[in-house]
């Protein structure tokens, strides 16, 4: 049985160079809409924002691995008939690891790669424990409104911005009950796989831009020196000062400019 097509949103001139955006864990394409619109309107790109499996409005499945997510994205490339010679693939965090997996396995399918605030190495997923405990503490069968959901998250997730980000996954069904758009059981089950190291016998030789938040520890000095160049020898690492892991949300203007300039470098 064929896997269903991922949910996506397309903006900009269909004849322009394509930019495909992959969000991170617990994210959706909605997190990227302000920047996506700017890249379409101001940078003249054909922007395709994607909901990865078990996220947003895409299909739910028990399996959640980088190999499968890369295949999902390739199927979308095929469906849209994207021009590999002009395609820029951008991914943040988990989406960055999907993008790296695809680039290393299928280098002929894209022109260049942009990775936001994640390195190819193994990442310990323990820092997600509080988030998962918070999400599981929301009793979807009894809550009447978003405020009650936020109150349930609060003891585990003190940061307002993180709570608001997570609550973007909450929606009302037609019968007025609440549900998560994320497939929480599958993500919990496969959390170790989300932390997996990305490796390859062959490096990706095309231009690659890594963007890190200056206040984030997801890309370390050792990653810059060894881990990244080993797999992506034609790469550079740009640091956005005063930004954490959600660098695109905190410093959208800087991200807009870095991606626009890099996307047009090779055309």
């Amino acid at each position: 049985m064929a896997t269903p097509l991922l949910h996506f949103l397309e903006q900009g001139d269909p004849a322009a160079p394509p930019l495909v955006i992959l969000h991170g864990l617990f994210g959706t394409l909605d997190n990227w809409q302000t920047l996506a619109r700017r890249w379409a309107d101001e940078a003249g790109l054909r922007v395709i924002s994607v909901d990865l499996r078990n996220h947003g409005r895409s299909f739910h499945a028990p399996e959640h691995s980088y190999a499968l997510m890369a295949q999902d994205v390739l199927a979308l490339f095929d469906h849209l008939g994207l021009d590999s010679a002009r395609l820029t693939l951008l991914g943040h965090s988990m989406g960055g690891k999907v993008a790296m997996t695809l680039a290393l396995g299928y280098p002929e399918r894209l022109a260049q790669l942009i990775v936001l605030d994640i390195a190819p190495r193994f990442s310990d997923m323990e820092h997600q424990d509080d988030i998962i405990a918070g999400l599981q503490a929301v009793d979807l069968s009894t809550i009447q409104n978003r405020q009650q959901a936020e109150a349930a998250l609060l003891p585990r997730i003190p940061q307002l911005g993180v709570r608001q980000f997570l609550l973007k996954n909450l929606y009302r069904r037609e019968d007025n009950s609440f549900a998560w758009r994320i497939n929480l059981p599958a993500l919990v089950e496969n959390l170790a796989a989300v932390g997996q190291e990305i490796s390859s016998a062959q490096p990706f030789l095309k231009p690659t831009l890594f963007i890190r938040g200056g206040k984030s520890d997801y890309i370390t000095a050792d990653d810059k020196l060894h881990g990244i160049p080993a797999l992506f020898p034609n790469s550079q690492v740009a640091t956005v000062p005063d930004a954490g892991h959600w660098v695109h949300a905190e410093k959208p203007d800087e991200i807009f400019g870095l991606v626009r300039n890099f996307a047009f470098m090779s055309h």
Side-chain angles (χ1 to χ4, degrees):
M1 201 178 79
T3 307
L5 199 63
L6 295 172
H7 174 251
F8 66 96
L9 185 68
E10 192 171 351
Q11 300 178 79
D13 175 2
L19 169 68
V20 177
I21 303 174
L22 309 178
H23 61 78
L25 183 65
F26 307 126
T28 75
L29 65 77
D30 295 345
N31 309 139
W32 283 90
Q33 277 330 289
T34 310
L35 273 166
R37 201 170 302 119
R38 287 188 67 187
W39 283 319
D41 295 348
E42 298 170 41
L45 294 166
R46 176 188 181 185
V47 184
I48 296 127
S49 331
V50 179
D51 278 337
L52 293 165
R53 64 165 60 203
N54 294 320
H55 287 76
R57 290 171 173 78
S58 281
F59 63 90
H60 287 190
E63 301 84 18
H64 194 85
S65 70
Y66 286 119
L68 287 169
M69 287 190 277
Q71 292 297 331
D72 295 342
V73 176
L74 283 171
L76 185 63
F77 286 5
D78 291 340
H79 171 77
L80 292 168
L82 300 181
D83 177 3
S84 304
R86 298 193 301 162
L87 193 152
T88 303
L89 179 60
L90 178 157
H92 171 245
S93 203
M94 178 189 77
K97 284 192 160 179
V98 176
M100 288 188 251
T101 303
L102 193 154
L104 289 161
Y106 306 89
E108 72 287 352
R109 298 301 304 266
L110 66 163
Q112 50 199 6
L113 175 67
I114 302 175
V115 176
L116 255 69
D117 212 59
I118 194 82
R121 70 179 152 81
F122 167 79
S123 29
D124 179 1
M125 298 307 286
E126 274 178 20
H127 60 282
Q128 304 290 352
D129 288 354
D130 282 339
I131 288 184
I132 283 170
L135 290 168
Q136 289 173 330
V138 178
D139 184 349
L140 295 170
S141 64
T142 61
I143 58 165
Q144 306 293 311
N145 54 46
R146 287 181 174 272
Q147 288 76 7
Q148 290 174 351
E150 188 177 348
L153 290 174
L154 181 62
R156 296 285 187 157
I157 303 164
Q159 312 91 326
L160 174 64
V162 179
R163 291 199 304 276
Q164 289 173 331
F165 167 75
L166 292 169
L167 287 171
K168 288 196 161 88
N169 288 294
L170 194 65
Y171 76 105
R172 272 192 198 274
R173 293 200 182 111
E174 282 177 11
D175 66 3
N176 240 5
S177 66
F178 279 100
W180 294 117
R181 290 209 184 277
I182 40 173
N183 183 356
L184 190 56
L187 296 178
V188 170
E189 186 68 31
N190 294 287
L191 199 60
V194 176
Q196 235 173 348
E197 179 185 359
I198 304 302
S199 59
S200 171
Q202 296 296 322
F204 178 71
L205 302 175
K206 292 176 179 177
T208 304
L209 173 65
F210 282 80
I211 301 174
R212 62 181 285 272
K215 295 192 295 193
S216 167
D217 56 5
Y218 279 74
I219 294 180
T220 63
D222 189 57
D223 294 324
K224 284 170 70 172
L225 215 56
H226 303 295
I228 289 171
L231 287 172
F232 303 96
N234 188 8
S235 65
Q236 48 180 309
V237 180
T239 299
V240 178
D242 294 325
H245 182 55
W246 277 282
V247 53
H248 53 293
E250 295 174 44
K251 300 282 181 180
D253 291 343
E254 285 82 343
I255 298 302
F256 171 77
L258 283 165
V259 171
R260 177 195 57 196
N261 297 344
F262 186 76
F264 280 107
M265 243 176 30
S266 67
H267 303 308

